[in-house]
């Protein structure tokens, strides 16, 4: 049983730079949690505090119920995979993987068995005699994972393990990591700045920004119900459109775009938004919820006219870019739709998937 | 040649000129550096009679003889000097390397307050010429009662070798990615185990470069042994040669040269043995995790 608890944890570096500003997070046993966020938001710092490589300024971190604030890394029973692999260059693959077990005085046969098992699982059994410099990036990454697996630790920690690999290999290794987690279910904390990696791997995603946690939730939940403007904009690719609108109450509730177009608010949301009537707010709408018009539209659809600026045919879909009073907007239409730059295209906005953001708090209301 | 258009073969020709230039310069240096040792070797194989006769071609021995070597190897005092040099150097190298590896590790990795200032300080001490220090040091050595004791060298040479060796090692250790020690820390290693099992093997070329440096300081030193030692049982090889083989204005050239050959043999053997590593050590930073 190895749940990880992070309670009111603060990390201040010299010069009083607060890299992590008091975060709370409960990670369940065997859960795969991904920390995601832009560069410098404190993901690595958080991970390194769990590992014990970085001291905690205040707060508590507990692993398996035991507070480990003052426990050195080697006694925390964790394993970590680094972005640059950090393999011991003078040791063979076997010795790299066996190093931790040897230091812990495991019997020889046990070490060999564990290394062989892990090597088989990771498909590196034929590389055991090689030195790291004779391996490709993907192979090194596997060895680094093998080194973590053989220890059979309470918690796996990954710090951007795939960002040194090329795009294709990254996708492949992503699947591999997921497979390993299914074979050896272990509490895992995984850091990445790639939101797709986060979405595909995580049981729960933790979105961080400027040293705080913006939102914690299952990937789908973050996608459909972002709590803040930051999460709404960070999760999803291409990113959500943000439009300055006025919420007007006039025989029903409307969002009024900068060009005067009024889009009716979905009746189901009227009670939720009503208190904000009259305010200038931000409308969040994902490109896939702004599409070509259909003959039998589902209820809660509103229409607007766009003067097409640029189109990007992607094969399965075409991205249409345009501006509403200077604000860039992206719509995602069927590739058969006729969208010619300079001409007007009528688009359907799926208002049941809209988000309304309070400009003062940056929270989704 | 002012041609800016690449004609076929012009690159080839350019490369050839560069090669010619390099070879000419290198040959010049090889000749300049190798003539004295060559002459030393040749002279050591001549008898005193042949040397003083000054007849015929001086570049090779007309009747080669090992007599000089035999005399030296049979001389108790010469063997004594040689042995003194050997044990002083062995102790100096071991002591210097232990101190510099430990201090370089501490300075580059333990991250304590003032580590940066301290490493700069260590390097600055290296910039003070030893020849300026030997008079003040004489007082200290006298106060310690070590005048005319070979131990004085064991005490002093590390002070010359450690700063530079530490500086080399700091450079080497700093080029080892931090994640490597962190991985080892998580794997369960203590700082000492990290040093012995990770840092020393990874930085081996640097350690060898530093070792050769410490060896050279001790083996080739002349000034300090000359200043602090005088009796036959304490003197090291460099001073011993001058002490025994030059009597007034009488130079026993054949034996001096033979003694020099014997004195030069250990460094040559060690350098040849470690050459590959040494070259790798001079092109530092080539370790990459
Ligand atoms: N040793 C340090 N001393 C001072 N400030 C630091 C130190 N390490 C990190 N920081 C600062 O703390 C903040 C968080 O850093 P951290 O490495 O956790 O970011 P990150 O989210 O992992 O970013 P990235 O995606 O770029 O790796 C940054 O602003 C960084 O400049
Ligand atoms: Mg990071």
């Amino acid at each position: 049983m190895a749940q990880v608890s992070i309670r009111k944890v603060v990390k201040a570096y010299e010069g009083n730079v607060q890299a992590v500003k008091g975060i709370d997070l409960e990670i369940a046993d065997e859960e795969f949690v991904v920390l995601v966020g832009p560069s410098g938001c404190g993901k690595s710092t958080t991970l390194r505090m769990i590992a014990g490589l970085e001291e905690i300024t205040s707060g508590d971190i507990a692993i398996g119920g035991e507070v480990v604030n003052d426990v050195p890394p080697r006694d925390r029973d964790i394993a970590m995979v680094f972005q640059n692999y950090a393999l011991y260059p003078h040791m063979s693959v076997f010795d790299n993987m066996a190093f931790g077990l040897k230091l812990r005085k495991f019997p020889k046969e046990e070490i060999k068995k564990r290394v062989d098992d892990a090597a088989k699982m990771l498909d590196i059994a034929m590389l055991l005699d090689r030195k790291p410099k004779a391996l490709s990036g993907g192979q090194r990454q596997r060895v680094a994972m093998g080194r973590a697996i053989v220890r059979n630790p309470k918690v796996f920690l990954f710090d951007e393990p795939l960002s040194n690999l090329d795009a294709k290999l990254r996708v492949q290794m992503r699947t591999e990591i997921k497979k390993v987690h299914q074979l050896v279910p272990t509490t895992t904390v995984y850091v990445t700045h790639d939101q797709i990696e986060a979405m595909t791997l995580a049981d729960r995603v933790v979105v961080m920004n400027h040293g705080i946690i913006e939102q914690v939730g299952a990937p789908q939940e973050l996608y459909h119900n972002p709590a803040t403007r930051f999460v709404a904009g960070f999760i999803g690719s291409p990113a959500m459109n943000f439009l300055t609108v006025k919420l007007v109450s006039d025989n029903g509730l409307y969002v009024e775009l900068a060009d005067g177009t009024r889009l009716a608010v979905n009746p189901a949301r009227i009670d939720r938004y009503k208190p904000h009537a009259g305010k200038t707010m931000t409308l969040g709408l994902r490109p896939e919820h702004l599409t070509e018009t259909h003959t039998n539209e589902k209820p809660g659809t509103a229409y607007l006219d766009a003067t097409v600026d640029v189109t990007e045919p992607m094969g399965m879909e075409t991205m249409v870019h345009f501006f509403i009073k200077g604000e860039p907007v992206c719509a995602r239409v069927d590739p058969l739709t006729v969208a010619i730059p300079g001409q007007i295209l009528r688009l359907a906005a799926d208002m049941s998937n809209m988000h309304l953001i309070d400009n003062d708090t940056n929270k989704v209301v | 040649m002012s041609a800016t258009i690449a004609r076929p073969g012009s690159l080839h020709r350019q490369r050839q000129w560069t090669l010619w230039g390099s070879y000419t310069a290198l040959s010049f240096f090889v000749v300049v550096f190798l003539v004295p040792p060559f002459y030393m070797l040749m002279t050591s194989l001549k008898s005193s009679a042949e040397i003083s006769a000054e007849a015929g071609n001086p570049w090779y021995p007309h009747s080669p003889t090992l007599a000089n070597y035999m005399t030296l190897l049979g001389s108790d005092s010469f063997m004594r000097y040689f042995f003194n040099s050997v044990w002083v150097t062995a102790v100096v190298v071991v002591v210097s390397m232990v101190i510099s590896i430990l201090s370089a590790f501490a300075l580059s990795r333990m991250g304590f307050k003032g580590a940066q200032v301290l490493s700069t300080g260590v390097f600055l001490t290296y910039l003070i010429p030893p020849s300026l220090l030997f008079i003040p040091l004489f007082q200290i050595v006298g106060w310690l009662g070590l005048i005319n004791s070979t131990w004085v060298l064991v005490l002093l040479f590390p002070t010359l070798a450690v700063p530079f060796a530490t500086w080399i090692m700091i450079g080497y250790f700093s080029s080892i990615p931090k994640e490597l020690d962190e991985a080892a820390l998580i794997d369960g290693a203590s700082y000492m185990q990290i040093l012995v099992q990770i840092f020393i093997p990874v930085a081996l070329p640097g350690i060898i470069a530093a070792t050769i440096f410490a060896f050279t300081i001790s083996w080739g030193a002349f000034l300090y042994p000359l200043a602090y030692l005088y009796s036959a049982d304490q003197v090291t090889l460099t001073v011993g040669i001058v002490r025994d083989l030059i009597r007034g204005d009488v130079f026993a050239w054949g034996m001096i040269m033979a003694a020099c050959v014997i004195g030069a043999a250990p460094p040559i053997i060690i350098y040849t043995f470690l050459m590959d590593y040494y070259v790798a050590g001079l092109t530092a930073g080539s370790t990459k995790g």
Side-chain angles (χ1 to χ4, degrees):
Chain A
M1 288 299 282
Q3 65 280 24
V4 176
S5 311
I6 300 175
R7 300 182 205 117
K8 301 201 169 35
V9 167
V10 173
K11 174 71 193 185
Y13 284 112
E14 274 157 65
N16 254 340
V17 189
Q18 283 210 347
V20 174
K21 302 171 184 163
I23 58 171
D24 287 286
L25 184 63
E26 288 293 328
I27 300 167
D29 187 33
E30 298 188 2
E31 190 178 20
F32 199 120
V33 163
V34 176
L35 305 184
V36 69
S39 188
C41 69
K43 310 178 294 283
S44 296
T45 305
T46 306
L47 195 75
R48 292 167 57 81
M49 286 192 290
I50 300 175
L53 296 172
E54 212 73 72
E55 275 182 36
I56 303 168
T57 308
S58 70
D60 282 322
I61 290 181
I63 297 174
E66 183 204 353
V67 174
V68 293
N69 293 12
D70 299 318
V71 177
R74 61 172 154 161
D75 298 326
R76 293 193 181 193
D77 201 6
I78 45 128
M80 185 155 168
V81 177
F82 295 86
Q83 175 176 354
N84 63 1
Y85 322 126
L87 300 179
Y88 311 122
H90 58 297
M91 295 185 196
S92 68
V93 168
F94 182 94
D95 289 336
N96 261 282
M97 288 166 69
F99 187 63
L101 299 176
K102 280 182 188 159
L103 289 175
R104 281 156 214 270
K105 306 256 182 318
F106 276 69
K108 263 212 166 75
E109 314 80 64
E110 173 74 7
I111 294 178
K112 183 154 172 33
K113 187 178 168 310
R114 287 200 187 192
V115 173
D116 284 344
D117 287 351
K120 229 171 270 158
M121 175 159 56
L122 292 164
D123 209 12
I124 49 174
M126 62 294 174
L127 304 175
L128 287 176
D129 295 329
R130 292 217 199 149
K131 291 273 171 66
K133 72 166 180 286
L135 300 178
S136 71
Q139 289 168 334
R140 286 179 203 185
Q141 193 55 66
R142 283 164 211 263
V143 176
M145 271 165 63
R147 187 169 64 181
I149 291 170
V150 292
R151 293 250 324 275
N152 192 14
K154 282 192 196 144
V155 184
F156 279 136
L157 304 172
F158 290 88
D159 194 354
E160 309 209 15
L162 305 183
S163 48
N164 277 5
L165 302 178
D166 67 47
K168 203 168 154 191
L169 203 54
R170 207 177 306 161
V171 174
Q172 193 187 334
M173 287 302 293
R174 200 167 75 196
T175 322
E176 201 96 352
I177 290 178
K178 197 156 188 174
K179 194 181 87 188
V180 167
H181 186 251
Q182 281 163 7
L183 288 172
V184 195
T186 305
T187 314
T188 302
V189 187
Y190 185 107
V191 163
T192 177
H193 59 254
D194 179 347
Q195 50 101 10
I196 300 193
E197 227 169 274
M199 300 284 283
T200 48
L201 284 171
D203 294 326
R204 275 194 309 158
V205 177
V206 177
V207 182
M208 292 186 69
N209 190 23
H210 293 310
I212 58 155
I213 292 180
E214 291 264 343
Q215 191 175 1
V216 183
Q220 288 308 314
E221 189 191 333
L222 294 192
Y223 189 82
H224 291 293
N225 296 311
T228 64
R229 181 190 172 114
F230 177 80
V231 176
F234 190 79
I235 302 285
S237 169
M240 187 184 282
N241 296 305
F242 291 119
L243 294 166
T244 308
V245 296
K246 220 173 141 185
L247 192 64
V248 287
S249 176
D250 176 12
N251 227 346
L253 200 59
Y254 302 89
V255 288
E256 188 177 281
L257 303 182
D259 65 358
T261 312
R262 284 187 172 185
L263 309 175
V265 169
N266 189 346
R269 302 253 187 125
I270 287 182
D271 287 344
R272 184 164 143 199
Y273 293 154
K274 196 125 201 182
H276 299 279
K279 280 209 268 184
T280 298
M281 306 190 77
T282 301
L283 169 71
L285 198 61
R286 292 198 185 280
E288 57 264 44
H289 299 135
L290 192 56
T291 60
E292 74 281 1
T293 55
H294 299 99
T295 40
N296 48 350
E297 218 60 76
K298 62 177 181 172
T301 302
Y303 298 93
L304 63 142
D305 290 322
T307 309
V308 177
D309 185 36
V310 177
T311 64
E312 294 175 328
M314 318 273 277
M316 242 172 77
E317 68 223 7
T318 295
M319 312 310 299
V320 176
H321 297 271
F322 59 99
F323 290 92
I324 297 178
K325 286 279 177 214
E327 288 180 319
V329 189
C330 174
R332 189 162 144 182
V333 304
D334 190 272
L336 298 176
T337 309
V338 184
I340 300 159
Q343 295 199 353
I344 289 181
L345 177 68
R346 193 163 181 78
L347 293 169
D350 177 0
M351 298 302 277
S352 57
N353 277 309
M354 67 171 271
H355 305 278
L356 203 55
I357 297 157
D358 188 321
N359 282 350
D360 298 327
T361 61
N362 277 326
K363 294 233 157 61
V364 174
V365 299
Chain B
M1 281 210 293
S2 61
T4 46
I5 303 162
R7 276 175 287 121
S10 84
L11 201 66
H12 179 71
R13 201 166 318 132
Q14 237 179 30
R15 186 183 139 76
Q16 254 184 353
W17 276 112
T18 315
L19 281 180
W20 267 107
S22 314
Y23 277 118
T24 314
L26 286 174
S27 312
F28 176 74
F29 283 116
V30 165
V31 169
V32 168
F33 283 117
L34 286 187
V35 163
F38 174 78
Y39 198 61
M40 175 173 92
L41 181 65
M42 290 305 130
T43 309
S44 74
L45 295 171
K46 296 178 189 172
S47 64
S48 299
E50 185 181 333
I51 295 169
S52 50
E54 289 188 37
N57 186 340
W59 288 103
Y60 63 93
H62 294 272
S63 44
T65 165
L66 288 176
N68 293 324
Y69 291 93
M70 288 312 178
T71 318
L72 287 174
L73 295 177
S75 140
D76 283 346
S77 57
F78 182 80
M79 292 316 285
R80 180 84 227 166
Y81 306 148
F82 190 86
F83 175 73
N84 279 347
S85 276
V86 169
W87 80 258
V88 165
T89 301
V91 178
V92 165
V93 165
V94 171
V95 168
S96 305
M97 288 317 292
V98 169
I99 297 177
S100 17
I101 288 175
L102 287 175
S103 45
F105 185 66
L107 287 170
S108 67
R109 277 314 206 265
M110 311 283 282
F112 54 91
K113 273 206 174 68
Q116 198 62 45
V117 179
L118 211 55
S119 12
T120 314
V122 164
F123 181 63
L124 286 181
T125 62
Y126 171 66
L127 300 179
I128 301 169
S131 46
L132 284 184
L133 289 176
F134 86 97
I135 294 174
L137 274 176
F138 201 93
Q139 296 225 302
I140 299 174
V141 170
W143 177 70
L144 289 173
L146 287 175
I147 298 285
N148 194 31
S149 158
T150 323
W151 284 100
V152 71
L153 303 181
V154 174
L155 188 70
L156 290 184
F157 287 155
T159 66
L160 305 179
V162 164
F164 189 66
T166 305
W167 188 66
I168 296 182
M169 293 317 303
I170 288 177
Y172 248 86
F173 286 168
S174 306
S175 75
I176 297 176
K178 209 172 96 242
E179 286 84 357
L180 221 57
D181 11 333
E182 293 179 344
L185 219 51
I186 290 174
D187 261 345
S190 64
Y191 273 109
M192 210 55 202
Q193 283 169 321
I194 293 177
L195 175 62
V196 172
Q197 299 195 33
I198 312 276
F199 274 59
I200 290 182
V202 171
L204 199 58
I207 290 176
I208 287 171
T211 304
I212 289 181
F213 175 78
F215 176 89
T216 310
I217 283 215
S218 172
W219 188 262
F222 186 69
L223 184 62
Y224 283 15
L226 182 70
Y228 302 132
L229 308 175
Y230 47 81
S231 63
D233 59 335
Q234 300 295 326
V235 163
T236 54
L237 189 59
T238 44
V239 175
I241 293 174
V242 176
R243 187 178 185 277
D244 276 15
L245 302 178
I246 303 177
R247 296 280 154 97
D249 60 352
V250 182
F251 290 69
W253 280 119
M255 277 209 276
I256 290 178
M257 291 302 149
C260 289
V261 171
I262 296 174
I268 289 174
I269 292 167
I270 290 174
Y271 285 20
T272 319
F273 197 60
L274 299 177
M275 199 47 153
D276 288 346
Y277 283 115
Y278 187 54
V279 169
L282 290 177
T283 56
S286 46
T287 48
K288 184 90 177 93

